[in-house]
């Protein structure tokens, strides 16, 4: 058994690949995009067609990154919206409108744990800036931007949206990587690939099987990099996405400050160390892993209600799962585990 990971970047999930008794070839390629190493593992009877499929998938994922990113020099409609005249609606491309609607839906369904309008606060905290911060920002500035960023986005008809304050800015950072994984997978399929894994720095979408066995996925421990919290055997169309407080953080005055904010406080969420969501598609798994991270174990029921599963490592290090997880997947937990119903 080989252990592959996208080290040296912080890897959320380790991809464990089974034996090599598959009749077809396994083609493996890695690209850097979306701020992380993206591993493509494709099973195909033909190496050249696998390589072509990976290129198409990688190009598509890069296109998605360019469309949604609010960082870097390249212009895009999200950046234009973020500097648009407050109060004046702007028509957004259908793809952005669709993701914005999904983000708003997750916001409502998670009771405000997910917010697409946190860009100003995220920039203030600075976790995605080229120079990482060393200390938290001033409390009055957090309070000002929190007020300005709350309930500040309005939808008009026909893909037209307006922001009502200048500080109201979109940040798709919690959902765009999942969408990119879904688009990359669609491109692999269009190129005739039925068995593959795309691993974007630990956020994973699998299709099919690895030869005669399922794909074997390990969820990393949020505090001990080399350890695994759970392993999952998955096959078919499954996405596994993790949000963790170990991805981008610093310690100040003995306190951990990280990149996932509680939209109610404007400060790093305090309920969890990591939240992993397993769903049919990666955009839902990505959006909900961020929301669940903010909600903590109280959010497990909300995830289960939407036919998804989850593994949550609480702030105290205890591990909790949705009740149905074991029936959907082969799950092995490396630590003592509590089902939702046992941990209330
Ligand atoms: P993820 O790693 O998918 O959980 O996404 C984290 C990124 O999403 C951060 O770097 C921010 O850009 C953004 N973000 C932080 N907190 C939230 C939140 N509560 N809801 C939505 N987006 C957030
Ligand atoms: Mg996310």
């Amino acid at each position: 058994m080989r252990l592959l990971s996208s080290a040296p970047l912080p890897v959320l999930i380790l991809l464990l690949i089974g034996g090599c008794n598959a009749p077809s070839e396994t083609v493996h390629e890695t690209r850097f995009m979306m701020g992380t190493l993206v591993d493509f593992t494709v099973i195909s009877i033909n190496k050249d067609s696998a390589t072509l499929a990976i290129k198409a998938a990688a190009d598509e994922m890069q296109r998605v990154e360019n469309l949604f990113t609010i960082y870097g020099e390249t212009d895009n409609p999200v950046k234009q919206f973020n500097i648009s005249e407050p109060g004046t609606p702007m028509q957004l491309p259908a793809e952005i409108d669709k993701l914005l609607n999904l983000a708003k839906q997750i916001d409502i369904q998670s009771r405000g744990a997910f917010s697409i309008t946190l860009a100003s606060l995220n920039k203030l905290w600075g976790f995605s800036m080229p120079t990482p911060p060393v200390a938290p920002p001033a409390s009055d500035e957090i309070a000002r931007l929190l007020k300005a960023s709350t309930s500040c986005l309005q939808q008009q008809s026909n893909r037209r949206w307006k922001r009502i304050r200048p500080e109201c800015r979109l940040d798709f950072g919690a959902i765009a990587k999942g969408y990119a994984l879904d688009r990359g997978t669609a491109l692999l399929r269009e190129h005739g690939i039925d068995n593959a894994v795309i691993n974007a720095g630990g956020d994973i979408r699998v299709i099919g099987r690895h030869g005669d066995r399922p794909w074997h996925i390990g969820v990393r421990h949020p505090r001990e990099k080399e350890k695994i919290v759970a392993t999952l055997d998955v096959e078919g169309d499954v996405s596994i996405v993790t949000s963790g407080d170990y991805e981008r953080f610093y310690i100040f005055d003995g306190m951990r400050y990280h990149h996932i904010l509680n939209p109610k406080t404007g400060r790093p969420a305090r309920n969890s160390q990591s939240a992993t969501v397993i769903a049919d598609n990666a955009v839902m798994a990505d959006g909900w892993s961020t929301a669940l991270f903010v909600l903590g174990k109280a959010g497990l029921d909300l995830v289960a209600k939407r036919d998804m599963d989850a593994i949550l490592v609480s702030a105290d290090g205890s591990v909790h799962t949705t009740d149905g997880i074991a029936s959907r997947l082969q799950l092995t937990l490396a630590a003592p585990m509590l089902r939702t119903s046992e941990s209330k």
Side-chain angles (χ1 to χ4, degrees):
M1 187 173 277
R2 279 191 308 144
L3 178 67
L4 301 180
S5 85
S6 56
L9 286 176
V11 180
L12 309 184
I13 298 181
L14 304 170
L15 176 62
L16 310 169
I17 298 202
C20 346
N21 50 351
S24 319
E25 254 189 285
T26 301
V27 178
H28 185 79
E29 281 189 33
T30 303
R31 307 278 166 91
F32 185 82
M33 63 177 107
M34 303 183 294
T36 192
L37 288 175
V38 180
D39 291 325
F40 296 85
T41 306
V42 167
I43 300 182
S44 170
I45 41 167
N46 180 314
K47 189 169 189 284
D48 289 344
S49 54
T51 307
L52 261 179
I54 291 172
K55 184 182 178 325
D59 287 351
E60 173 66 358
M61 291 172 77
Q62 186 62 62
R63 183 192 69 79
V64 170
E65 181 186 3
N66 295 346
L67 184 64
F68 285 97
T69 186
I70 54 169
Y71 299 99
E73 298 305 312
T74 343
D75 196 19
N76 67 26
V78 178
K79 289 180 180 171
Q80 285 161 19
F81 182 81
N82 283 351
I83 53 165
S84 65
E85 186 62 30
T88 305
M90 178 178 153
Q91 185 165 46
L92 293 169
E95 218 173 355
I96 296 178
D97 175 70
K98 208 170 142 199
L99 215 56
L100 208 42
N101 275 302
L102 180 65
K104 292 294 284 178
Q105 185 189 316
I106 298 174
D107 180 342
I108 293 163
Q109 292 178 346
S110 69
R111 297 164 191 161
F114 187 97
S115 170
I116 202 71
T117 55
L118 290 180
S120 293
L121 273 166
N122 291 332
K123 279 195 177 165
L124 177 71
W125 281 94
F127 290 102
S128 298
M129 307 305 270
T131 320
V134 289
S139 294
D140 52 354
E141 189 58 0
I142 296 172
R144 187 183 75 80
L145 289 182
L146 178 61
K147 201 164 168 234
S149 310
T150 305
S151 308
C152 66
L153 182 68
Q154 291 177 3
Q155 185 178 19
Q156 317 288 126
S157 56
N158 195 20
R159 309 197 319 253
R160 291 164 74 80
W161 295 76
K162 69 177 180 195
R163 51 199 206 112
I164 59 170
R165 294 179 206 106
E167 298 88 349
C168 182
R169 297 197 180 99
L170 302 176
D171 180 345
F172 286 89
I175 203 169
K177 200 199 272 184
Y179 178 63
L181 279 170
D182 287 341
R183 289 300 310 148
T185 307
L187 265 288
L188 290 181
R189 282 200 199 283
E190 278 175 31
H191 282 74
I193 303 297
D194 295 323
N195 301 286
V197 176
I198 309 180
N199 177 0
D203 294 345
I204 291 176
R205 177 148 173 181
V206 316
I207 50 172
R209 292 165 66 82
H210 187 237
D212 58 1
R213 53 178 82 178
W215 297 101
H216 196 52
I217 309 289
V219 178
R220 74 153 269 191
H221 193 287
R223 290 289 174 270
E224 292 165 77
K225 216 174 165 184
E226 305 308 321
K227 276 202 190 165
I228 281 175
V229 165
T231 57
L232 308 166
D233 281 340
V234 291
E235 58 184 272
D237 216 346
V238 182
S239 298
I240 302 160
V241 177
T242 300
S243 291
D245 68 1
Y246 50 86
E247 294 173 69
R248 277 171 269 158
F249 73 97
Y250 59 87
I251 308 282
F252 179 78
D253 254 359
M255 187 92 158
R256 179 183 288 251
Y257 292 86
H258 60 83
H259 71 303
I260 305 169
L261 303 184
N262 181 342
K264 304 247 159 73
T265 63
R267 294 167 184 275
R270 292 285 169 220
N271 288 328
S272 317
Q273 294 181 3
S274 75
T276 301
V277 171
I278 301 125
D280 294 344
N281 61 63
V283 72
M284 287 293 277
D286 193 4
W288 274 98
S289 71
T290 306
L292 179 63
F293 181 95
V294 173
L295 292 164
K297 64 182 187 214
L300 285 167
D301 281 347
L302 291 180
V303 169
K305 219 161 85 183
R306 292 183 170 82
D307 206 25
M308 298 178 287
D309 277 303
I311 303 166
L312 183 92
V313 182
S314 281
D316 64 4
S318 58
V319 183
H320 309 261
T321 71
T322 46
D323 285 340
I325 194 165
S327 63
R328 270 198 12 181
L329 317 143
Q330 275 292 346
L331 171 78
T332 313
L333 284 157
M337 169 219 38
L338 293 166
R339 300 279 163 79
T340 330
S341 48
E342 296 160 352
S343 59
K344 278 176 189 155

